[in-house]
Amino acid sequence: MTDPVRYPEGASRRLLPKRAFLLLFMTLILPGSAQIVAGNRRLGRKALRVTLTSWAVVVIAVLLVLINRSILVNVITHRWWSLLIIAALVFLAIGWAVMFINTARIIQPILLERKLRPVIAGTLAVLMLLTSGSLSYAAYVLNVGRSTLGSIFQAGPAFDPVDGRYNFLLMGGDAGEDRLGRRPDSISVVSLDAKTGQTVIISIPRNLQNAQFPSDSPLTSVWPDGYNCGDECIINSLYPEVVRNYADLYPDAADPGAEAMMDAASGVLGIEVQAYVIVDMAGFEKLVDAMGGITVTAEGWVPITSGEIPGTSPIRHYPPSEWIAPGKQTLDGYHALWYARSREFVTDYSRIQRQQCVQAAMIAQLDPATVLSRFEAIASAGTQIVETDIAREQLGSFVDLAVKAKGHEVQRLTIGPPDFGTPQDNFVTYPDFDEIHSRVQEKLAASAEPQSLPSGDEPPALTRTAVVERVAFPTADEDITEEYLRQLAINGDSATLETLLADNGECTPG
């Protein structure tokens, strides 16, 4: 009866506040401990068992992060395990709140001086918000993620790397309600080293002709010598052609057009493409905005194309409504989309370079802090713009690789200028597939021993095997303004604009 912690009635007024804060601190650090020393010991022992079990799970999770992140990610993203974790978080949030309320009863605020009661009540509210509130928010985020993953990723087994690499096809295009009309404007194969996460982006121009297919592709029965029916058979027309006329060749595929594009990419590059990801470029804006924008350093002016002039053949456009200036730019979704897609006054190859730069910027800037702080918006955007056949069970290995990839420079190769010939060589019309296969293997082999990013704030420019020579122009850079470019466009001086914008494909992420 003389113990002031368990029996505060006889304690001095000076000791009571210390007792109150001590019990709150004990409930914060080790829920159940306050009940053991000053309250219901039976309740305290039960709560302490739950607490110690929870801390043990946290320790195991931390060890998995250090030893094998993919196992932890697989557990968190698993359909049923994630549901169990959500239930556990909700249970812990409620339980912790109950323990704080019980601790408040043990404190007996009526014994405290009147001016101290609001302080104890405020402290209690803050601690409950930090603990139970955080656990509740974690359960909410995990539930949003669970729903998002279920909407995007497929059920099915994970696949193993081929020759030590994961290869998947990344396509960007406008995916409207008429799926038959979708043509991918952006076609890239992203190859990840299965051990290091070293990333190589290989871009295939959308107008590449005579695409080859692997020997086991069902398309060899239709085009035994490749997709070689002339100018109509550029590679990005394969998607709608197969969806319209040859979907039966892929009877088990959810998206026959995407499967056909994977076969074409495999044949063109001489590697096995294992999965695909399709990004709706119109919805791409939402993802970039959800990220808070992306930062790139642009080397040249990029026009934002205006509407088409009615009745013109070939099609012409009104003068650009806006321009993206050179220099370090933080682009919102609208401007990032135009930066990646604009091709007015330049060739497709400049656009491909900018697309690779935007992809590298997103890889670099989609860090854990960004994901956590903007999780709901990113998840919502993802369900609207992404389609893939990657299995949910694959996420563990891919997230682990994504973390590793951030420590390496993204390397790239374009199946066309500047890496293969010049725009005048018509390489994409008459591609040399033996040369392509050889160069692809060289690039992948060179990336097998990756170099870490150099120190400093600015990431390096994308590695490439050839450099576009800047076109000399007598007008000084400081004299080139948006007004000057707009006037050239109004005057219809495309030749001067093509010269001035020749370097607008050059870009550095960040």
Side-chain angles (χ1 to χ4, degrees):
M1 297 292 291
T2 59
D3 182 358
V5 176
R6 179 165 289 277
Y7 304 105
E9 292 82 358
S12 66
R13 288 186 174 274
R14 188 168 58 88
L15 185 61
L16 287 174
K18 295 180 180 179
R19 172 183 178 272
F21 283 113
L22 174 63
L23 294 176
L24 288 175
F25 179 76
M26 293 173 69
T27 304
L28 172 66
I29 301 301
L30 210 61
S33 58
Q35 281 68 31
I36 288 178
V37 302
N40 186 329
R41 289 194 174 100
R42 184 177 179 184
L43 175 63
R45 284 193 291 268
K46 290 180 178 179
L48 201 55
R49 289 192 201 101
V50 174
T51 299
L52 294 177
T53 301
S54 301
W55 277 114
V57 171
V58 170
V59 170
I60 293 172
V62 171
L63 290 176
L64 285 175
V65 169
L66 299 175
I67 298 172
N68 193 331
R69 279 186 297 257
S70 61
I71 294 178
L72 181 61
V73 174
N74 282 330
V75 170
I76 293 174
T77 57
H78 189 274
R79 181 181 179 186
W80 298 115
W81 278 110
S82 61
L83 187 60
L84 182 62
I85 294 172
I86 291 170
L89 289 173
V90 172
F91 170 77
L92 291 175
I94 295 173
W96 214 337
V98 168
M99 299 312 295
F100 269 116
I101 293 172
N102 185 263
T103 299
R105 186 187 65 80
I106 297 172
I107 289 172
Q108 298 185 48
I110 193 67
L111 298 178
L112 298 171
E113 294 182 12
R114 187 179 298 274
K115 63 180 181 181
L116 289 176
R117 294 173 191 174
V119 176
I120 296 299
T123 303
L124 177 66
V126 169
L127 292 180
M128 288 180 67
L129 180 64
L130 290 175
T131 54
S132 296
S134 297
L135 289 173
S136 299
Y137 182 72
Y140 168 75
V141 168
L142 188 55
N143 188 54
V144 171
R146 182 175 183 271
S147 175
T148 301
L149 296 177
S151 300
I152 296 176
F153 294 94
Q154 308 293 317
F159 52 83
D160 296 322
V162 176
D163 297 327
R165 305 190 73 89
Y166 292 105
N167 305 309
F168 61 90
L169 179 65
L170 177 62
M171 294 180 285
D174 292 322
E177 294 181 2
D178 181 10
R179 293 289 300 278
L180 297 179
R182 177 161 65 183
R183 286 190 177 209
D185 287 335
S186 170
I187 306 168
S188 302
V189 170
V190 179
S191 182
L192 293 163
D193 187 291
K195 291 184 178 179
T196 66
Q198 174 66 55
T199 305
V200 178
I201 299 175
I202 307 172
S203 296
I204 302 175
R206 68 189 184 97
N207 60 335
L208 183 134
Q209 296 185 30
N210 302 300
Q212 303 295 293
F213 304 108
S215 59
D216 59 350
S217 170
L219 295 180
T220 56
S221 63
V222 183
W223 297 288
D225 299 319
Y227 193 46
N228 61 350
C229 57
D231 291 343
E232 295 299 317
C233 284
I234 60 176
I235 192 170
N236 82 326
S237 70
L238 180 64
Y239 189 112
E241 177 69 15
V242 168
V243 171
R244 279 195 298 264
N245 300 316
Y246 302 103
D248 59 304
L249 296 178
Y250 298 93
D252 300 323
D255 191 335
E259 294 288 339
M261 293 297 292
M262 287 172 57
D263 282 352
S266 298
V268 168
L269 303 182
I271 59 178
E272 182 180 339
V273 178
Q274 302 163 280
Y276 67 85
V277 177
I278 301 175
V279 177
D280 176 9
M281 296 300 283
F284 170 80
E285 292 183 41
K286 299 176 183 177
L287 180 59
V288 174
D289 284 336
M291 291 175 57
I294 58 171
T295 302
V296 300
T297 301
E299 293 297 327
W301 291 87
V302 176
I304 295 179
T305 305
S306 292
E308 297 177 1
I309 300 175
T312 56
S313 181
I315 294 173
R316 294 174 55 204
H317 294 83
Y318 291 106
S321 58
E322 188 179 348
W323 295 76
I324 299 173
K328 192 167 186 176
Q329 305 279 358
T330 298
L331 305 174
D332 60 15
Y334 173 79
H335 291 91
L337 177 61
W338 270 111
Y339 190 76
R341 300 193 72 180
S342 176
R343 59 190 175 101
E344 193 172 10
F345 309 120
V346 295
T347 66
D348 264 345
Y349 310 114
S350 293
R351 179 170 73 162
I352 287 172
Q353 288 176 277
R354 283 184 267 110
Q355 287 172 351
Q356 291 172 334
C357 183
V358 168
Q359 290 167 351
M362 294 186 73
I363 290 172
Q365 296 168 40
L366 199 60
D367 52 49
T370 300
V371 172
L372 289 175
S373 62
R374 301 174 177 268
F375 184 82
E376 186 173 4
I378 292 174
S380 176
T383 59
Q384 299 176 48
I385 70 171
V386 178
E387 173 190 320
T388 182
D389 66 342
I390 295 175
R392 191 165 177 170
E393 285 71 15
Q394 197 81 49
L395 290 179
S397 57
F398 277 7
V399 169
D400 189 43
L401 286 177
V403 174
K404 294 178 181 178
K406 293 180 68 64
H408 303 294
E409 179 183 354
V410 176
Q411 301 188 33
R412 72 98 177 157
L413 186 71
T414 299
I415 309 304
D419 297 324
F420 291 85
T422 67
Q424 292 73 35
D425 291 337
N426 289 327
F427 184 90
V428 296
T429 304
Y430 307 102
D432 183 337
F433 291 105
D434 289 336
E435 180 183 357
I436 292 173
H437 296 173
S438 176
R439 292 277 294 279
V440 168
Q441 291 302 320
E442 289 175 6
K443 175 62 73 172
L444 298 182
S447 71
E449 298 180 359
Q451 297 180 352
S452 298
L453 287 173
S455 59
D457 295 331
E458 297 296 329
L462 295 175
T463 301
R464 59 193 198 190
T465 56
V467 177
V468 178
E469 184 177 349
R470 285 178 179 264
V471 178
F473 193 77
T475 304
D477 287 343
E478 57 267 25
D479 294 333
I480 300 175
T481 63
E482 184 171 345
E483 290 73 20
Y484 175 60
L485 296 172
R486 183 182 295 113
Q487 190 59 52
L488 289 176
I490 292 172
N491 296 342
D493 192 351
S494 297
T496 300
L497 284 168
E498 289 170 6
T499 303
L500 288 173
L501 305 185
D503 62 351
N504 86 349
E506 297 183 27
C507 167
T508 302

